[in-house]
Amino acid sequence: MTELINKFEPITLAEMSSVKLMNRTDTKFVTNLQKLIQLLEMAQQDYYVQDIDGGRNLEYDTTYFDTQTFDMYCVHQHGHTNRQKIRFRTYCVSGLQFMEIKTKNNHGRTKKKRIEVGDMDLADEEKRQFIGKHLRYGVDTLQPALNNHFSRITLVNKAKTERLTIDSGLRFHNLQNDQRLDMDELVIIELKRDGLVFSPVLEMLRQLRIQPHGFSKYCMGSALTGKNHLPVNRFKRKLIEVNKLVNQ
């Protein structure tokens, strides 16, 4: 796959800053490594690849927090569209870490607020004020729930109207029961584009029979590693589909 990625023309972080998706829509797709290789072969002429100091498949490390009764997981599992998540994300290539709060409203729009941090200590006053302002759950109810490690390729179409993130090598560690699960064959693709403008990759995905598929790393990772203490009823169909993809 490294050889394939290196065939793309590069785009730098500075150049990507011009990709302003003001009316952004997000669509997720789930597939496996075999189809990802086919997709990368098809996309070379229409996309740049993000290059940071020669790195094109960059490692990310994320720790999700939830309440002691897993309220954020349960809101999603019960199918509610108005929901939140809080996580600490580390960009492994730079060591930069951010605390992020994502809020999804009833219209399907997601807003993300974040601040740079040096650790995950919630006793820190700056973090407590940030959480108090943006999260509807009390800071003292929060605990580490799930760690997720993955590698990400970012593509930008040559019209600079969309970004495509491609996550692979997913590794989950449930921080409550110490269960671990590696899903090296699974690939999560997210298309972020400016409204409903033309997207070259949509036809490629259609040809490869890769369908839109909601996938929350936090919820799926928790469901896959926490079956003994978390409800999974509404995720059962997705869990079956994921299992088929990684065992093809």
Side-chain angles (χ1 to χ4, degrees):
M1 191 161 65
T2 301
E3 184 179 335
L4 269 176
I5 300 168
N6 287 338
K7 290 181 179 179
F8 284 78
E9 292 182 56
I11 187 169
T12 65
L13 275 176
E15 291 169 328
M16 282 184 62
S17 66
S18 67
V19 186
K20 305 284 188 184
L21 306 182
M22 304 304 292
N23 185 31
R24 187 173 117 177
T25 60
D26 299 349
T27 310
K28 285 185 179 179
F29 303 82
V30 181
T31 187
N32 54 35
L33 282 177
Q34 181 182 356
K35 286 196 174 181
L36 171 59
I37 289 170
Q38 293 176 269
L39 179 65
L40 291 174
E41 288 172 340
M42 297 167 71
Q44 290 173 33
Q45 301 305 313
D46 295 294
Y47 288 85
Y48 301 108
V49 65
Q50 175 185 281
D51 186 298
I52 301 178
D53 298 328
R56 297 187 173 194
N57 193 12
L58 305 174
E59 291 187 55
Y60 288 60
D61 192 85
T62 307
T63 296
Y64 294 89
F65 278 61
D66 206 332
T67 67
Q68 293 160 14
T69 50
F70 298 94
D71 293 317
M72 285 176 258
Y73 171 89
C74 290
V75 164
H76 197 146
Q77 201 274 151
H78 290 146
H80 300 305
T81 52
N82 191 352
R83 54 184 183 250
Q84 290 189 300
K85 291 190 182 72
I86 178 170
R87 68 190 185 192
F88 288 83
R89 170 157 287 177
T90 302
Y91 297 82
C92 299
V93 67
S94 65
L96 288 175
Q97 184 180 55
F98 295 87
M99 181 172 69
E100 302 178 342
I101 294 174
K102 293 179 71 175
T103 301
K104 187 169 186 177
N105 65 25
N106 292 325
H107 303 290
R109 293 288 179 181
T110 300
K111 292 185 177 180
K112 182 169 71 175
K113 301 288 186 179
R114 73 176 190 173
I115 55 170
E116 186 175 347
V117 297
D119 55 46
M120 294 187 286
D121 182 6
L122 294 187
D124 176 74
E125 187 59 31
E126 183 184 13
K127 296 190 193 78
R128 295 178 72 87
Q129 288 184 11
F130 183 79
I131 290 169
K133 182 177 180 180
H134 298 291
L135 192 72
R136 64 178 68 113
Y137 304 95
V139 62
D140 292 322
T141 69
L142 301 176
Q143 63 181 2
L146 185 82
N147 177 263
N148 171 222
H149 196 95
F150 60 92
S151 298
R152 171 170 288 182
I153 302 163
T154 301
L155 303 182
V156 177
N157 71 327
K158 295 197 171 176
K160 295 184 179 178
T161 56
E162 68 179 35
R163 293 195 301 271
L164 197 70
T165 59
I166 303 170
D167 298 343
S168 62
L170 277 77
R171 289 169 167 77
F172 297 112
H173 178 200
N174 191 306
L175 301 175
Q176 291 302 304
N177 62 15
D178 202 34
Q179 292 295 307
R180 297 174 185 266
L181 179 65
D182 294 349
M183 304 198 76
D184 291 329
E185 288 296 315
L186 191 67
V187 176
I188 311 300
I189 299 170
E190 186 165 9
L191 172 61
K192 305 167 185 180
R193 58 177 170 153
D194 198 357
L196 296 177
V197 297
F198 172 73
S199 168
V201 80
L202 284 179
E203 175 59 21
M204 302 174 200
L205 292 166
R206 189 193 66 79
Q207 290 180 28
L208 293 170
R209 297 183 180 178
I210 300 173
Q211 304 296 327
H213 191 296
F215 190 99
S216 159
K217 292 188 188 72
Y218 171 55
C219 289
M220 290 294 101
S222 296
L224 287 161
T225 60
K227 293 177 183 177
N228 293 332
H229 69 276
L230 291 173
V232 299
N233 292 342
R234 287 181 178 266
F235 291 144
K236 280 184 177 178
R237 181 178 61 82
K238 287 185 179 180
L239 294 173
I240 291 169
E241 291 171 354
V242 166
N243 187 57
K244 285 180 179 178
L245 280 171
V246 300
N247 289 293
Q248 283 183 358

